Every structure is written in C-alpha cells, then in structure tokens.
Amino acid sequence: MTFSVKLTGSACGAVITEIDLTENLSPKLVAELRSQWLENKVLIFPDQNLSITQLVRFSRLFGEIGEDPFFGHIEENENVAAIQRNSDEKTPIFAEVFHSDWSFLPVPPAGTLLYGINIPPIGGNTLFANQVMAYERLPKSLREKADNLVAIHSAALGYAPDGAYGEKDRENGRSMNILFHEKARETFEHPLVRMHHETGKRALFSSAAYIQGFVGFEKPESDKLLSELYAHQIKEEFVYSHSWRKNMLVMWDNRSVLHAATGGYDGYERLLYRTTIADKQF
C-alpha cells in the first residue's frame, strides 16, 4: 500500500489520499506517514469512513492517547471527546484564540486529531499557524528576546470556574462537555522557543490563550511583549485555513503549529470527534 501527497500551497499542511485508514497499516507505512506529519505539520485525510474504534486505533499508531484535562469523553469511548455546537447555540465560538493544545501541562501533547461527523455547508474553518516559520522570520531583536523567555502557562482564562468556559458559559447553553475546575489555575513554565525533539527545529510555543506572562517580567511589560509576539505569530503568511468536509480526518503537530477555530455557521449543527496523542518529552 502507498499513498499520494499534495501540499496545500500554504504555510503548512498536506492532503493524503489513496489510503484507507480502516485497514491495518504496516509499520513502514506508518513511518512514512509520520515523516509527512513532521515535515508538513498538518495532515488531511479526506473521505475516511472511520468508526470510533478505528479512529482511536489510528491515533495510537502515533503514540499513546494523551490527556484531555478539561473535556468529558463520549459515552462510546473514554479516549474520544466531542467538539460540538448545536444549531441553536448562542455561546461564543469555542477556541477562537490561536493556541497549542494543553500547553500548560508538564509535557503537552504531541498531536491532536479531529474527525468530521456533522459539518456545516458554510464556515467553520480551522486556522493553523506554522510556528517554525514564525520563529525563523522573527525580527532579529525580537528573536534575541524570544530565545531567552520562559513563559508561565495556565488554563485559568478558559477552564477555571470563572473562566471563559466556566459556570456562566455552561448556564448560557454550551453544548460541549467542558469540565471546568479550580485545577485550571495551576501554572507551569516552558521556554517560549522550544526545540522539537523529533525534528530538531525551533518553534514559538503557544500564545495568549494560555500564557499568563514571562518569568522575571512585570505584568505591563510582559503583556506588551506577549501582544507583540502574538501579532507576529499569526501573520497571514504563516497561516493555512482549512475547510472541513464530512468524514475528513485532520491531524496536527502541537509542537509546530498553533490552531484556532472560526465561526460563520450559525443555524447549523457541527460535530467532530477528537483524540489526543501524548508526547514522551517536552
């Protein structure tokens, strides 16, 4: 078995066709897919008729299933979360700020997979920002600063009881099963520039979604620097805008890209199933 690769033509991403992910994939084929994943950072598999079990099985080919600390799982499988929005829902679009998933963990996940179940006919693109490219194109003065920054990560803004997805958000009718908790206030420090332990490439890591500030900086100075970095990280030249279809699987490397959701599909139900791939080290 082999597969075809077509680059998106944007800052990252490749479409993989002529492969059936429901079949047993050989170690050689998985290694080739992993190589494409690491190189292109986002892989798109259209027209895959996956069961929940098959989705989890494919995810495990790339590592152990990772932790989703603030998502409930679907009834059918404890390793799968539902990223959903009801057709009549009025809450803000989930995850509109660019981020790397769960960057506040001691060892954040290597990758995330989303599989399209119910996809609206309009809107709902996912944006991916290539952070290797963003790092390489930093102005010299800003890169010198970034190389020495240690960021303080926390889930408080999103998942604390008073956060964006906390008690009030649930009362307002959020359809996703979000498990807000006081634990979200915990912090963990990571270098802003991380070296990918598989590729050896440097990338900017995470964004305003989870970074509270930088070690050794007062808040005003930290906020100013974070805003400057964030504006650079999400420049159009670094971004691939992905359009979804039903039965499409997308996997991305959280160590190399940021991602963000978009709206534009009011009046339509949207449902995707999500798995997370754990990493072995930061």
Side-chain angles (χ1 to χ4, degrees):
M1 183 190 298
T2 185
F3 56 82
S4 295
V5 180
K6 182 179 180 180
L7 301 184
T8 64
S10 294
C12 56
V15 181
I16 309 297
T17 57
E18 298 182 34
I19 186 171
D20 184 351
L21 302 185
T22 68
E23 297 183 3
N24 291 320
L25 306 183
S26 69
K28 181 176 183 295
L29 192 61
V30 173
E32 291 173 356
L33 286 173
R34 188 177 196 95
S35 179
Q36 290 292 335
W37 181 47
L38 294 175
E39 179 179 351
N40 295 300
K41 303 167 183 58
V42 181
L43 294 186
I44 302 110
F45 301 88
D47 304 319
Q48 298 292 329
N49 191 22
L50 295 171
S51 68
I52 293 171
T53 299
Q54 289 165 338
L55 171 62
V56 174
R57 184 184 69 182
F58 178 75
S59 303
R60 283 195 168 118
L61 294 175
F62 296 88
E64 296 296 323
I65 298 297
E67 178 185 3
D68 278 327
F70 300 107
F71 289 167
H73 58 75
I74 63 173
E75 291 184 4
E76 296 90 335
N77 195 297
E78 64 181 5
N79 296 306
V80 178
I83 307 301
Q84 68 184 85
R85 185 175 177 84
N86 292 339
S87 60
D88 60 350
E89 191 164 330
K90 302 301 181 185
T91 63
I93 296 297
F94 176 73
E96 284 188 296
V97 177
F98 275 96
H99 62 286
S100 179
D101 283 332
W102 309 142
S103 68
F104 47 82
L105 294 176
V107 181
T112 303
L113 292 87
L114 278 184
Y115 180 60
I117 305 297
N118 295 326
I119 303 299
I122 56 173
N125 280 21
T126 300
L127 307 179
F128 296 97
N130 184 333
Q131 294 305 289
V132 174
M133 189 180 292
Y135 173 74
E136 292 174 347
R137 297 186 186 179
L138 274 173
K140 183 179 178 182
S141 60
L142 193 54
R143 182 189 291 193
E144 289 174 351
K145 289 181 181 179
D147 282 335
N148 295 296
L149 289 174
V150 175
I152 304 166
H153 294 247
S154 171
L157 288 176
Y159 300 103
D162 58 351
Y165 308 119
E167 293 174 352
K168 287 185 178 179
D169 188 62
R170 178 179 292 176
E171 292 170 0
N172 288 336
R174 175 75 61 184
S175 55
M176 276 185 62
N177 185 13
I178 295 177
L179 309 176
F180 57 84
H181 197 277
E182 287 292 340
K183 187 177 175 64
R185 302 190 195 281
E186 295 178 356
T187 61
F188 201 89
E189 297 176 5
H190 290 301
L192 180 75
V193 178
R194 70 178 296 181
M195 179 178 287
H196 197 299
H197 65 83
E198 292 189 75
T199 68
K201 293 187 176 181
R202 295 180 181 274
L204 295 173
F205 184 64
S206 200
S207 71
Y210 292 135
I211 293 179
Q212 290 190 334
F214 298 111
V215 174
F217 286 75
E218 296 295 328
K219 183 171 174 52
E221 184 182 9
S222 190
D223 288 348
K224 182 177 182 296
L225 184 53
L226 185 58
S227 295
E228 185 179 2
L229 284 163
Y230 187 62
H232 173 79
Q233 287 176 275
I234 63 171
K235 284 181 176 178
E236 186 176 352
E237 65 194 272
F238 307 142
V239 174
Y240 160 59
S241 179
H242 176 72
S243 179
W244 285 91
R245 297 202 306 265
K246 181 179 173 63
N247 293 341
M248 176 179 278
L249 178 69
V250 176
M251 63 182 295
W252 63 88
D253 187 340
N254 281 298
R255 302 161 295 188
S256 299
V257 298
L258 302 180
H259 63 282
T262 66
Y265 54 91
D266 286 351
Y268 293 97
E269 178 186 5
R270 187 171 186 265
L271 174 64
L272 303 98
Y273 285 158
R274 166 185 160 132
T275 57
T276 301
I277 303 170
D279 207 355
K280 295 181 179 180
Q281 65 183 79
F282 180 78

